[in-house]
């Protein structure tokens, strides 16, 4: 503990912990159902699933936690209970409104505050925490939350880029570094991972998720939870995670943020929910409600999703936090008449903690006295919040060691960021082996508005480090990687705008060089929350720059830095080599150079389909077949008159500097009982061999897809059900095996109770390097 923490501070916190630890033995606190939910489910005593510990707690440890929570709950006044449900913001960085610093300080001292977001710095956090621990009647610590999305001091690639790695270890590494840095600054809790699957590239928050596929997103969401929380999220350098946004947020009409979502129960369960289930299974501490409506019901007032599915079906025993002002926004949604009505609906549906708006604190007591809030639901919400605080160890250790605050990215953190950025880049095109470039090339031109950029590479939702530590530019990375080359830079144009005055200078630089790298893309602010684009082509005149560079006849590669899938038909037509590097973070320039010169083998795969134009959206690989699937010989089939059929680049696509062959796709069983699979008594193992048939080492991602040929509900043409990234030496072969069970071969119906069917019939099993893999075999369920 830092020397400037008072002895009284430590003594008060220790006393509170001791009082809780020595509480009388009582039955474990059970999760009572929400006020609007049926009486069945929620708690083990009511016949539903037992609460799921948020982490690998032993039964004894779980019992101790419940006893401590129950004892403290019994001592709380109504005002203190509603206080635990309140989160205020320390500054206005993440949304509308003003900072609530004075309000938070007073409420903390009076025991009427549960959490504060956006406060950072060990000294600042400790100062506010003292008000809660030393001055309030019960000394309940605050929990400090922050959006730590893809780095704190060390910026990693945006999450969509991390989806391109197809590697859970990459995601875990980001979370571990981020947690260590953020925790040293006083943060306890991160609003991450975002587990929203989306088929909508116009939506800016695709940058925060892992792409269009529920299976890939589920694997990476669980990996990120493990990275933040470890085995015990009270340990030094760990954070409590918050999976968001529950649920369906990734499917807004028109791609507009916060907009209406209309989604069937089947798609809700088979597409939107799997990543959240994976996060809960991984022990995620908290869940955040979404801004959108789901089939007419705002997510903050939806007992079907927040209570019946999340608590009763999934057994989640952490707490649900609303999104920024989300409870208050039930009024403009048109489902709440006023603040009191909003509080009643949100608390009754299952929102435990209110973020920024204050309807619970203002109206809770009168609603309770009027019988409009179930007192069991109030106690349930408070207990869920206290449970997480106990598991965080805040009662024993409410303060952060001010002398231990990490000042800057370490060399190891930068190395991890560099390796991650390289592993996430996707080589989309490489005609005539344009790449890798030779370090012996006498002269190189780097052109494009992002060539020398040190800011936009950080991407959207970057941490405080993005304002403190410039990113390595692509220009700098190339200059360091090829010190013997003459490197000339010319921006050519701005990222946005119509000015073409600089194009001639850029073309002249290319003509005077032996090869060129054109660095184009989006600004960080072009993607992220509220950053919706109606046109997802390259902004400004960047495509014109590429066209003029192509006219020089010089060999060149285009590097795209972006936070979303862009429509790049014109670029792909002009560029002999195309590297999609996303917004790659603090070490982005070095990572891009590693790839351009072949020091690192590109192996990323697209986590989202790249459309030909914005008018083709939504285009995604896992679509359902129609009664008139596309046929080039029949005009009355599903197609566009003015576009070739299919995407520009499909989900899972990505090239290497070598070639691979898939062969020997085999199943452990060609036929198996559907009933045995449904009941978990049988699975099928699918094996395939991957061989590096080229002349250099490279990375490949083996991908396994399933198609249910005939079902009682129309099924996707393919579903990803397994993947494994591997590095193979020249001529090396490796066999990988994937297990298929009920969740892989079954599907949900539209029954709101969550009916899963595994039906008899034939299934096509595909294996290869993208969603367009051709190698296949047949499995029959009897």
């Amino acid at each position: 503990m830092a020397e400037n923490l008072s002895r009284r501070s430590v003594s008060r916190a220790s006393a509170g912990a001791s009082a809780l630890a020595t509480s009388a033995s009582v039955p474990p606190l059970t999760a009572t159902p929400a006020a609007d939910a049926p009486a069945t489910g929620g708690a083990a005593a009511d016949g539903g699933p037992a609460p799921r510990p948020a982490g690998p707690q032993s039964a004894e440890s779980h019992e101790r936690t419940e006893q401590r929570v129950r004892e403290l709950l019994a001592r709380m006044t109504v005002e203190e209970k509603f206080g635990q449900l309140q989160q205020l913001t320390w500054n206005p960085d993440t949304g509308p409104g003003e900072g609530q610093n004075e309000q938070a300080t007073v409420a903390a001292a009076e025991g009427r505050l549960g959490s504060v977001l956006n406060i950072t710095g060990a000294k600042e956090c400790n100062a506010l925490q003292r008000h809660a621990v030393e001055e309030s009647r019960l000394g309940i610590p605050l929990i400090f939350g922050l959006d730590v999305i893809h780095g704190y001091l060390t910026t990693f690639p945006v999450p969509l880029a991390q989806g391109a790695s197809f590697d859970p270890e990459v995601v875990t590494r980001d979370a571990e570094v981020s947690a260590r840095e953020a925790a040293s600054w006083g943060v306890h809790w991160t609003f991450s991972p975002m587990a929203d699957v989306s088929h909508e590239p116009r939506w800016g928050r695709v940058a925060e998720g892992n792409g269009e596929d529920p299976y890939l997103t589920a694997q990476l969401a669980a990996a990120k939870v493990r990275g933040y929380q470890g085995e015990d999220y009270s340990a030094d350098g760990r954070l409590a995670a918050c999976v968001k946004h529950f649920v369906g947020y990734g499917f807004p009409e028109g791609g507009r943020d916060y907009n209406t979502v209309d989604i069937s129960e089947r798609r809700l369960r088979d597409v939107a929910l799997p990543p959240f289930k994976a996060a809960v299974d991984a022990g995620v501490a908290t869940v955040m409600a979404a801004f959108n409506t789901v089939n007419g019901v705002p997510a903050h007032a939806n007992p079907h999703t927040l209570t019946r599915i999340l608590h009763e079906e999934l057994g989640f025993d952490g707490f649900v936090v609303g999104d920024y002002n989300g409870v208050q926004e039930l009024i403009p949604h048109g489902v709440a008449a006023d603040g009191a009505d909003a509080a009643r609906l949100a608390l009754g549906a299952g929102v435990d903690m209110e973020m920024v708006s204050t309807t619970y604190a203002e109206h809770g007591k009168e609603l309770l006295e009027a019988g409009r809030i179930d007192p069991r639901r109030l106690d349930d919400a408070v207990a869920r919040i206290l449970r997480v605080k106990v598991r965080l160890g805040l009662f024993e250790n409410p303060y952060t060691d001010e002398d231990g605050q990490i000042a800057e990215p370490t060399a190891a953190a930068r190395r991890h960021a560099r390796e991650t950025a390289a592993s996430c880049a996707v080589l989309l095109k490489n005609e005539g082996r344009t790449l890798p470039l030779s370090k012996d090339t006498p002269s190189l031109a780097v052109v494009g508005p992002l060539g020398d950029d040190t800011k936009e590479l950080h991407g959207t939702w970057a941490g405080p480090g993005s304002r403190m530590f410039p990113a390595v530019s692509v220009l700098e990375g190339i200059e360091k990687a090829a010190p013997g080359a003459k490197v000339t830079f010319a921006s050519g144009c701005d990222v946005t705008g119509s000015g073409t005055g600089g194009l001639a200078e850029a073309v002249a630089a290319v003509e005077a060089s032996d090869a060129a790298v054109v660095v184009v893309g989006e600004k960080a602010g072009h993607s992220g929350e509220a950053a919706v684009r109606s046109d997802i082509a390259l902004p400004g005149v960047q495509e014109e720059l590429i066209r003029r560079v192509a006219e020089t006849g010089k060999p060149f590669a285009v590097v795209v830095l972006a936070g979303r899938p862009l429509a790049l038909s014109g670029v792909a037509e002009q560029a002999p080599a195309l590297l999609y590097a996303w917004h790659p973070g603090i070490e982005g320039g070095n990572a891009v150079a590693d790839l351009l010169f072949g020091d690192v083998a590109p192996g990323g795969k697209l986590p989202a389909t790249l459309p030909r134009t914005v008018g083709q959206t939504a285009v995604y690989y896992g679509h359902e077949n129609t009664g008139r699937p596309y046929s080039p010989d029949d005009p009355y089939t599903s197609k566009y008159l003015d576009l070739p059929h299919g995407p520009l680049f499909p989900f899972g696509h990505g090239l290497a500097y070598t070639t691979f062959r898939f062969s020997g796709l085999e199943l452990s069983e060609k036929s198996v009982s559907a009933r045995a699979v449904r009941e978990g008594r049988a699975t099928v193992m699918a094996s395939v061999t991957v061989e590096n048939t080229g002349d250099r080492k490279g990375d490949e991602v083996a991908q396994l897809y399933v198609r249910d040929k005939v079902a009682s509900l129309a099924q996707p043409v393919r579903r990803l059900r397994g993947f494994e990234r591997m590095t193979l030496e020249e001529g090396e072969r490796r066999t990988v095996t994937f297990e298929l069970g009920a969740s892989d071969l079954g599907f949900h119906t539209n029954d709101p109770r969550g009916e899963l069917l595994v039906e008899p019939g034939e299934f096509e099993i595909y294996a290869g390097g993208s969603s367009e893999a051709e190698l296949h075999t047949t499995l029959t369920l009897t």
Side-chain angles (χ1 to χ4, degrees), residues 448-470:
L450 293 174
D452 66 342
D453 176 76
T454 61
K455 175 185 175 184
E456 309 300 344
L457 275 71
H458 285 294
T460 182
W461 274 119
S466 66
R467 299 185 291 273
M468 301 162 64
F469 308 105

Side-chain angles (χ1 to χ4, degrees), residues 94-428:
T94 66
E98 298 295 329
Q100 299 169 312
N101 299 25
E102 182 178 354
Q103 185 179 355
T105 301
V106 172
E110 295 177 351
R112 295 185 293 103
L113 185 62
S115 176
V116 173
L117 74 155
N118 293 333
I119 184 170
T120 62
K123 182 178 181 180
E124 292 79 2
C125 290
N126 286 341
L128 182 58
Q129 188 74 284
R130 288 191 190 95
H131 290 291
V133 171
E134 298 186 30
E135 298 177 31
S136 71
R137 186 177 73 90
L138 296 177
I140 300 174
L142 302 171
I143 178 173
F144 298 131
L146 188 72
D147 289 277
V148 184
I149 307 300
H150 56 106
Y152 186 81
L153 298 177
T154 307
T155 311
F156 282 76
V158 293
L160 182 59
Q162 293 183 38
S165 73
F166 275 71
D167 186 350
E169 291 185 7
V170 162
V171 175
T172 298
R173 184 167 55 196
D174 161 26
E176 288 174 338
V177 172
S178 301
R180 190 158 49 246
E181 293 177 348
S184 80
W185 281 63
V187 179
H188 307 129
W189 178 28
T190 174
F191 305 125
S192 176
M194 193 186 92
D196 295 305
V197 174
S198 184
H199 301 157
E200 181 50 84
R202 292 173 294 181
W203 187 52
R205 297 195 86 162
V206 292
E208 274 187 78
N210 296 134
E212 72 183 49
D213 184 73
Y215 183 86
L216 174 64
T217 302
Q219 302 305 308
L220 300 187
K224 199 148 197 179
V225 169
R226 292 191 292 267
Y228 287 133
Q229 297 188 170
E231 291 295 314
D232 176 2
Y233 57 73
S234 71
D236 289 344
R238 296 294 185 179
L239 299 175
C242 180
V243 64
K244 64 184 186 184
H245 306 83
F246 204 76
V247 62
Y249 189 38
F251 297 92
E253 291 183 355
R256 297 196 309 278
D257 214 348
Y258 321 118
N259 204 12
T260 300
V261 171
D262 199 0
I263 187 171
S264 68
E265 187 76 17
R266 184 188 69 76
R267 283 199 173 189
L268 177 75
R269 290 180 177 274
D270 284 345
V271 181
L273 277 173
F276 291 93
K277 181 182 185 304
V280 171
D281 289 344
V284 72
T286 65
V287 173
M288 183 183 289
F291 280 122
N292 55 281
T293 59
V294 179
N295 302 332
V297 183
H300 281 70
N302 197 323
H304 176 57
T305 56
L306 291 179
T307 295
R308 297 187 187 103
I309 292 177
L310 182 60
H311 293 323
E312 295 173 13
E313 292 184 23
L314 301 185
F316 174 66
D317 78 339
F319 71 82
V320 174
V321 62
D323 208 339
Y324 204 106
N325 270 340
V327 175
Q328 181 76 27
E329 289 168 10
L330 294 177
I331 301 172
H333 267 302
V335 300
D338 51 29
D341 207 20
R344 176 186 65 83
L345 287 170
L347 187 58
V351 177
D352 302 304
M353 179 179 284
E354 181 175 8
M355 182 186 287
V356 180
S357 60
T358 56
T359 68
Y360 287 8
E362 292 175 9
H363 306 289
K365 186 176 181 180
E366 64 184 77
L367 289 169
L368 189 67
E369 291 173 347
R372 301 181 69 197
I373 289 178
D374 188 334
R376 297 177 305 157
R377 172 64 190 117
L378 172 60
D379 284 358
D380 174 45
V382 177
R384 289 177 179 277
I385 293 164
L386 294 176
R387 184 180 293 128
V388 171
K389 290 185 176 184
V390 170
R391 288 174 177 163
L392 268 167
L394 290 179
F395 288 93
E396 292 83 2
N397 299 293
Y399 302 110
T400 300
D401 180 1
E402 295 172 21
D403 294 332
Q405 181 169 297
I406 297 172
E408 61 184 358
T410 65
R414 282 185 171 272
R415 183 177 68 254
H416 289 322
R418 181 172 181 168
E419 292 170 350
T420 296
S423 69
C424 295
V426 183
L427 182 63
L428 296 175

